[in-house]
Amino acid sequence: MNAVVIEKAITDLAEHPFDPVDFPYAFLEAFGNKATTIKRLRAGASNKSDLGGVLQTSNIHLLACEAGQATQMLAALKASSATAKDKVKFILATDGKDFEAEDLASGQTIACAFKDFPDHFGFFLPLAGISTVRQISENAFDIRATSRLNRLYVELLKYNPEWGTAGRRHGMNKFVARLIFCFFAEDTDIFIGKGRFTDTIGR
């Protein structure tokens, strides 16, 4: 499983209505856990949580909590004897509005709105066995942009299949390259006026 695929799965998860029962399993699935692993966790066979959450040994202890309890529950996860005993690397608590997590080895933390947690997906890449070298963590936004451009490319070809033919491919690639430039120009204020390109294509 690569970072772009994970980013898409995490973005899809954040865009769906929050389900406190299913969220921990959906989160783990987004990072490449197999159906059999999820099934065992759901059944309690491999879930070692002592707080009513989901604990995957040597990996993560997650808890979907009551509204306004994310900070308190993150502290509880950190203090949990099961977290220490099962050598958990990450803890995560969310109420569907707030999202908080900590890398217990480095001490790095995340605290953001639930809808924004995909912006930090690079933080959790070790859950998928991907080493979060500094460049990957710092370029999480670039990976997200690549994923979204790929989806745009696929959608454009879905409705305009002739654009994917050998004769049109060069033009299609140029078009996407120009889109990238325009989004960059908008972000860096080369186009004077906030959101002018986005507003134009949205009309």
Side-chain angles (χ1 to χ4, degrees), residues 51 61 63 69-81 83 91-93 100-102 104:
L51 293 172
H61 197 173
L63 185 63
Q69 296 293 306
T71 300
Q72 181 181 335
M73 289 300 101
L74 191 74
L77 287 167
K78 190 169 184 175
S80 159
S81 59
T83 295
I91 52 174
L92 187 167
E100 298 194 20
E102 182 174 345
L104 295 176

Side-chain angles (χ1 to χ4, degrees), residues 9-174:
I10 285 295
T11 298
D12 289 346
L13 177 58
E15 290 174 351
H16 280 78
F18 178 68
D19 183 329
V21 174
D22 285 335
F23 174 79
Y25 307 107
F27 185 88
L28 289 170
E29 187 175 9
F31 283 92
N33 281 270
K34 296 178 181 177
T36 51
T37 301
I38 301 297
K39 186 177 180 180
R40 283 173 54 79
L41 284 168
R42 280 187 184 275
S46 59
N47 181 5
K48 307 297 183 182
S49 179
D50 55 355
L51 293 172
V54 176
L55 189 157
Q56 188 176 41
T57 302
S58 303
N59 226 7
I60 189 168
H61 197 173
L62 307 91
L63 185 63
C65 57
E66 297 292 327
Q69 296 293 306
T71 300
Q72 181 181 335
M73 289 300 101
L74 191 74
L77 287 167
K78 190 169 184 175
S80 159
S81 59
T83 295
K85 180 181 176 183
D86 289 282
K87 299 177 180 176
V88 166
K89 298 171 187 170
F90 293 92
I91 52 174
L92 187 167
T94 183
D95 59 4
K97 181 181 178 183
D98 297 314
F99 182 99
E100 298 194 20
E102 182 174 345
D103 178 334
L104 295 176
S106 69
Q108 287 184 297
T109 60
I110 290 171
C112 64
F114 180 82
K115 66 181 178 61
D116 295 328
F117 87 81
D119 292 340
H120 304 281
F121 81 98
F123 183 84
F124 297 103
L125 285 177
L127 296 176
I130 300 172
S131 174
T132 51
V133 294
R134 187 174 177 181
Q135 293 92 329
I136 294 177
S137 296
E138 290 178 350
N139 293 318
F141 282 100
D142 291 342
I143 295 171
R144 293 202 77 196
T146 300
S147 175
R148 291 180 179 192
L149 280 168
N150 180 62
R151 277 184 269 170
L152 173 62
Y153 191 92
V154 169
E155 286 297 308
L156 286 170
L157 290 182
K158 185 192 298 184
Y159 293 100
N160 306 278
E162 70 279 6
W163 292 5
T165 60
R168 298 288 299 273
R169 192 169 295 120
H170 179 66
M172 178 67 164
N173 290 339
K174 281 178 66 176

